[in-house]
Amino acid sequence: FKPYVAPTASELLLPVISKVYGFLDQVAQTGATGTDEAVLLQDLRKAYLTWIAAIFNSDLDNIFLAPQNAQHLVTIFQPIATQLAADHSNPQSQRLAFGVITKAIQAWLVDPLGHHTLAMLTPAALAAINNSASASSESSRPRLRQAAAQALGVSLGSDSARETREQFRQFVVSSVLPACFAAPTQAGFDLADAQSSLVVAEIAGLLQMMLLSGAPDVAGSNGSAATTMSAPQMLSPPIGGDLNQNQCASYLSTGLLPELGCPANMATEFVQALGSLDQKQFKKYFVAFLNNSARP
């Protein structure tokens, strides 16, 4: 039944988000007036991010690409990246914020034509999808994301959909990737704390997913997946391949990391680790990288 609820969910999306951001903006301007309101604010952030994550895990991500919503896509995700993902006072919400963005990258930059169900597109499950039996099973399932898009009147291979996804890619490059390094290096963020460690793991997964989106066999010349692909197999960390041909790897090694003051050799080593290590190994490397970056 999910595809048939997509139009209703699409109509409710902006009103709900507007209410949430309206309250968050009000509190940001006036401050929480007491303990009860502070607790309510934390609960609202957590519930909101959980709701957004549920949309992706229910394969309804394309409601964001509906005509009335697509033009607001970056506006919707901007506060998640710049506010909720930056607030280390609430590690649970911070982890959820990075997790939601990772799901969006999976949906629109890694599998934009809806060949796979997003609930399965976790780093641990990607390798299983590549198994021939799993790939065959996946391709025989109803593609709920594609059906939902059809119910919304959204053509995932259209120029307008590709343009929206490219706008989201540019947003990730300009706002999300810098936040991945700013959040765990800000004052008060304790890399040794258990909750903060989960945030770092989420950031590490986001970086690996973004690297995957830049792989030549995933990204086309216009930054979108090739429209001729039929239920493509999904790569999983370690991604490997020629990182010189990877859009994200090139940007990190020659653009973002040097801009953040990272020496060239350290930036190259970071990108090589990002592409060659599995999720657990890279998370460990990332923590060491952050610790080294924090040294005077």
Side-chain angles (χ1 to χ4, degrees), residues 4-294:
Y4 305 105
V5 306
T8 301
S10 176
E11 292 176 3
L12 293 173
L13 184 68
L14 287 183
V16 172
I17 291 176
S18 297
K19 288 289 185 182
V20 171
Y21 284 161
F23 180 78
L24 293 179
D25 289 343
Q26 178 183 344
V27 173
Q29 293 174 7
T30 62
T33 57
T35 303
D36 290 344
E37 188 168 286
V39 172
L40 176 63
L41 178 62
Q42 287 194 0
D43 289 345
L44 176 61
R45 287 174 171 173
K46 182 178 179 181
Y48 171 64
L49 292 168
T50 301
W51 174 64
I52 297 291
I55 291 175
F56 284 97
N57 287 328
S58 298
D59 287 338
L60 293 174
D61 57 287
N62 288 312
I63 66 174
F64 289 95
L65 303 185
Q68 71 271 23
N69 300 330
Q71 59 185 317
H72 303 289
L73 186 64
V74 172
T75 303
I76 292 171
F77 279 85
Q78 188 78 46
I80 296 177
T82 60
Q83 298 177 29
L84 301 181
D87 185 6
H88 63 81
S89 67
N90 189 344
Q92 287 186 330
S93 292
Q94 190 177 27
R95 178 176 61 84
L96 282 169
F98 280 111
V100 162
I101 298 172
T102 300
K103 280 295 182 184
I105 293 171
Q106 291 173 332
W108 302 325
L109 303 184
V110 174
D111 185 28
L113 299 184
H115 290 298
H116 301 287
T117 179
L118 289 175
M120 290 185 63
L121 288 185
T122 62
L126 285 172
I129 294 177
N130 281 335
N131 178 276
S132 59
S134 297
S136 175
S137 174
E138 176 71 13
S139 63
S140 66
R141 293 193 186 109
R143 296 171 184 173
L144 296 178
R145 294 174 61 209
Q146 295 172 342
Q150 291 174 359
L152 291 164
V154 174
S155 174
L156 297 179
S158 67
D159 290 341
S160 60
R162 286 196 291 269
E163 181 180 349
T164 300
R165 292 193 294 264
E166 184 56 27
Q167 290 173 354
F168 179 75
R169 179 187 293 277
Q170 293 302 319
F171 159 71
V172 172
V173 169
S174 64
S175 297
V176 175
L177 290 182
C180 289
F181 298 93
T185 55
Q186 61 184 323
F189 190 97
D190 185 1
L191 289 170
D193 177 73
Q195 291 292 326
S196 297
S197 179
L198 294 176
V199 175
V200 173
E202 200 68 62
I203 295 173
L206 187 157
L207 289 169
Q208 288 191 308
M209 195 56 59
M210 192 58 190
L211 187 70
L212 173 58
S213 78
D217 49 355
V218 174
S221 59
N222 63 354
S224 62
T227 57
T228 57
M229 295 177 73
S230 176
Q233 291 186 342
M234 306 299 294
L235 298 175
S236 61
I239 296 166
D242 185 0
L243 295 180
N244 292 323
Q245 302 298 318
N246 188 298
Q247 299 172 2
C248 181
S250 298
Y251 172 68
L252 286 172
S253 61
T254 64
L256 179 60
L257 290 176
E259 288 173 6
L260 296 177
C262 183
N265 62 327
M266 194 173 177
T268 300
E269 180 188 271
F270 178 88
V271 171
Q272 289 174 343
L274 183 62
S276 63
L277 301 179
D278 64 26
Q279 187 184 32
K280 185 177 180 180
Q281 292 170 334
F282 178 68
K283 188 253 183 176
K284 183 177 180 180
Y285 172 86
F286 189 37
V287 170
F289 176 86
L290 294 172
N291 279 320
N292 289 336
S293 301

